[in-house]
Amino acid sequence: MKPARERIELFMAIAWSVLVLALCFHQVQFWSSNNLDSDVMALLPNTKHDVLVTRANENMAKAATRDVVILIGNKDSEVSKQAASIFDARIKKTTGLLRAQITSDQDTQAALDFYARYRDRLLTQQQKKTLEQTSDDDLLQSSMERLYGVGASGGLSSWISDPLALSADWWQSRLGEGITQEDGYVLTQARDKYWVVLQYESELSAFQLDGVAHIQQLLESAGNDAKRSHPDIEILNAGVPLHAEAAAVRANWEINTIGYGSLAAVMLLVFFAFMKFRPLFLVSGSLLIGVAAGISVTALIFGKVHLMTMIFGASLVGVAEDYGIHYFSSRQGNPDTKPFPMMRYLMPGMWLAFITSALAYLSLGMAPLPGLQQMAVFSAVGLLAAFLTVVCWFPYLDKQAPKRSWLSDKISNSLKTWPRWNWHKTSHKLFALIVVLFIGFGFSRLHTEDSLRQLQSSPASLIEQQKEISEILGLPSPAQFVLVTGTSEEALLQAEETLKPVLDALVVENTIRSYSAISDWLPSQKRQSENRLLVANVENKVLSGISASLGEDLERQASSETPFTLKDWLPLKFTQAMQAQYLGEADGKWGSVVMINGLNSGQSLAKLAEATSSISGVKLIDRSGEISNLLTHYRSKMTLLLFVGYLLVALALLHRYKSQAWRALLPTVIAALASLSASAWLGESVQLFTVLAHFLILGTGVDYGIFLLEHHKDPSSWLAVCLGAASTLLAFGLLALSATPALHTFGLSMLFGVGLSWLLSPCFRLSADADMALVH
C-alpha cells in the first residue's frame, strides 16, 4: 500500500512539472503577442440582440478604435494653420506611432467626377425646399447674377454645367456646418477661435504594459514644437487610442503596485514568520505559477485577457499563498513530523480551503458579465495551480522544518490575550451602541450608481479634452445612435429619408447638433428621380429665360439617365469612413446607422427617443443606458443571491455548531454592515462590484469564525490564519488604490470587510476551557 501511494505522489509531481513547463512555453507566446484588451465594452454583458443590432454595435465600436483627433486653435486662422503645419511635421518625423489620415487628390477627384455625373439627382432638404418654393423670376435673377458675377470663373461653359450652383452648395453641406477647407487644412470656428482639425490613425498597439505613453509623449512633443513658434495657440487631443494607452499605463502601475507590492509584503511576512529562505522561495514560486496559470488559461478560453482582469488577478497573491503558509506553519509547530505525512495530514483541510475559496471566486462569474467571468476563471485557476504546486512539490523540496521565530511566537500567543465579548460589561454595551449608530447613520448615506463610468479609468484631463472636441466638432457617440432597417436596399434608404425631416426639426430646436446618414451621400432611387425631375424643370425655365435675354439658344447639359446604387457607391475610397454605417443584410432585412451629433444630455436623448418612436423601421439604440440598466439588474440579482448565501451558511453552521453557530457568523455580519457603512461615510456608491466583494467577505470572514470553533487551542493554525488574513488584506486592500472606480470600490469593501471579520472573530470565540463536544 505504501509504495503505491508513493508512486502516485511521484507521478503527480512529475506530471505537474510537465504542465508547468508547458505553461512557461505558453507564457512566452502570450507576452510576445497582442493578447491584452483594454476595451471597456469587452467587460460588458453579451445582451441578446438581433443580428443587425449586434453588427451595429460592433461597427460603431471598431470605427473609432484607431482614430486620434487634434484641434489647434487661435484667433488668427493663419496662426492656427502655421502651428498645425509644425505640429504635423513633428508627427511625421516619428514612424510607427501615428499615420495621418489624408484623402489623396486622386481620391478626391474620383469622388468629384463620380458625383458630377449625378449632379441633378443630389439635393439637400434646404435646396429641394428652395427650388419648390422660390419663384421662377427669383431663380432666374439669382442664376443671372452668378453668370455675370465678379467671382465667376470658367465662363459660360462652367456656368451652364450647373446654372443654379447646386453642386457647390451640396458639397459644402457634406463638409458640415461651419467646416471649411483652406490651403489643404480643415477649419472650423468656435469659441472665438479658428480651429485646424488634424486626424491621425494609431499604428501602435495601445495595450503595451511597458509603462510608457508613447502616443501621448509624441503629441506633447509635437505640441511643444508648435507652441515654441506660436505660444498663444490651444491644442486639444482626443481619441480611443489615447484612452486605451492611458489605461495601459495606469494598469502597468497598478499591476506593479498591487501585484508586486502585495507579493513583496507577503514574502516579508513569510520570511519573518519562518526566518528561512526556503519557505520564502517555495511560497513565491507557488504564487508565480498560480498567476501565470491564471493568465494562460484565461487567454486560451477567452482569446484575450482584459487589463482589469490582470489588475484584479494581481490581488490573487493575497490568497494563493495560504496553502504554502499553512504547510510551513504546521511544519514549524510540529517539527518531528516528516514532510509527506504532514502533507497527507493537511490535505483534507487544504482541499476544503481551496474548494471554498475557488467557489467564492467562481461566484463572480454567476453574473453574465464577460469581465467578471474572466476574473472568476483567472482567480480559480490561479488558486488551483498554487494549490497543486504546494501539494505536488513542497514535500520533495522541503528538507527541514523551520524553527519558531519571534514573529510566529508573537502571533501564536496573541490569541491568549485577545479580548472576548462580554454582554454584561457596560463598556462593551456602549461600544455596541456606537457601532450600531455608526452603521445606522452610514446606511442613511448609501447611494447606488450603475454606470459605464465605473469601469473606466481615463485621466480627467483627457476626458475633459474629449468633451471639448466633441462640443466643437459635434462628434457623435458610438454608444447612442439610430438603427434604420428596411426590406431592401431601396426601402432602407427611403426609411432614412423619412427619418431625416424629424431629425432636422430636432436640429432646429437645438436638441441635437446634426446627424450623419448614408442617404446624405446616396439618396434612394425614388428620391433621385424626384430630384432629377425637379432640377430639370427649374433649370430648363432658367435657361429659357437667359437664352431670351442673351439672344442665344442655351441647352441644358445632360446627366446620367440611370440612378446610382450602393453597388456603385461602396467601392469609392472617399466613402470608406462612412461604410461602417452600412450594415448590409441579415435575416431578410437591410440595416444602416444614423449617427447623432451633439447628443449630450438625458433630456436630449429622451426627446430623440420620443420623436423617433413612431417611425416604422427606426429604433434608437442607447448602449450606455442599456448597460446601466443591466448593471442595475445584476446588482439587484446578486444582492438577493448574497442574502441566500448568508442563509445557507447560517443553516450549515447551525447544523454543525447548534446554539454556538452565531459565534462563527456574527463577526462577518457585523463586518459586512460596517464595511458598507464605512464606504458610505467616504462617499462611495454601492454598485455591482460592491456586492461581489461581499461574496468574498462572506467566504473568507466565516472561515475565521469557523477556525475559532474548530481549532481554538491550536497556535500554529492561528498563525497560519493570521498570516493568510494579513496577506489577503494587503492584496485586496491595495485594489483600493486602483483608478478604476469598480476595482477601487471592490478593494475598499474587502479592506473593511475582511479586516473587521479578522479582528472581530476572536472577540466571540469560546472560552479557553470550553469543550467542542458541547457545540457539535
Side-chain angles (χ1 to χ4, degrees), residues 330-382:
S330 297
R331 285 278 283 144
Q332 185 185 63
N334 304 275
D336 295 332
T337 305
K338 299 299 182 183
F340 279 100
M342 175 59 69
M343 182 59 71
R344 293 165 194 149
Y345 167 74
L346 294 175
M347 276 292 288
M350 289 179 65
W351 265 114
L352 182 60
F354 162 70
I355 291 172
T356 55
S357 296
L359 287 174
Y361 274 114
L362 288 174
S363 66
L364 295 174
M366 293 174 67
L369 293 161
L372 293 181
Q373 291 168 353
Q374 272 202 26
M375 294 176 192
V377 170
F378 186 106
S379 302
V381 171

Side-chain angles (χ1 to χ4, degrees), residues 403-586:
K403 295 181 180 180
R404 300 190 67 83
S405 67
W406 64 270
L407 180 61
S408 62
D409 284 337
K410 286 285 187 181
I411 295 175
S412 299
N413 295 330
S414 65
L415 189 61
K416 298 177 182 178
T417 58
W418 207 280
R420 284 189 178 86
W421 178 259
N422 189 332
W423 296 98
H424 301 293
K425 286 188 176 181
T426 303
S427 59
H428 287 196
K429 292 179 180 179
L430 180 61
F431 180 75
L433 178 61
I434 293 174
V435 171
V436 170
L437 291 175
F438 175 81
I439 292 174
F441 281 108
F443 268 58
S444 68
R445 301 167 63 92
L446 282 178
H447 65 282
T448 61
E449 182 174 356
D450 302 296
S451 68
L452 190 59
R453 289 190 298 271
Q454 301 302 310
L455 302 176
Q456 295 176 315
S457 59
S458 295
S461 61
L462 193 56
I463 294 175
E464 185 59 32
Q465 290 183 73
Q466 185 86 35
K467 290 180 179 178
E468 290 185 54
I469 290 180
S470 295
E471 289 175 3
I472 293 173
L473 298 180
L475 297 179
S477 167
Q480 294 163 326
F481 52 86
V482 177
L483 175 67
V484 182
T485 59
T487 55
S488 65
E489 291 180 352
E490 174 67 10
L492 171 66
L493 294 172
Q494 289 185 26
E496 280 195 2
E497 289 164 352
T498 301
L499 168 67
K500 287 162 71 172
V502 176
L503 297 180
D504 288 334
L506 294 176
V507 171
V508 171
E509 63 183 45
N510 293 323
T511 298
I512 62 175
R513 178 169 176 172
S514 61
Y515 60 87
S516 171
I518 290 176
S519 56
D520 292 338
W521 297 89
L522 174 60
S524 67
Q525 294 185 43
K526 178 184 177 183
R527 179 60 57 86
Q528 288 186 51
S529 298
E530 292 174 352
N531 290 344
R532 188 167 187 266
L533 289 174
L534 176 60
V535 172
N537 180 52
V538 173
E539 286 187 349
N540 282 330
K541 291 180 179 179
V542 168
L543 290 174
S544 177
I546 293 181
S547 294
S549 175
L550 296 177
E552 297 185 22
D553 188 14
L554 301 178
E555 293 185 5
R556 181 174 176 269
Q557 291 189 357
S559 61
S560 175
E561 294 290 334
T562 59
F564 65 103
T565 64
L566 272 166
K567 184 179 179 181
D568 305 312
W569 182 76
L570 287 174
L572 291 173
K573 289 185 179 181
F574 189 85
T575 67
Q576 288 181 351
M578 295 163 280
Q579 288 182 16
Q581 292 177 240
Y582 177 62
L583 307 178
E585 183 271 341

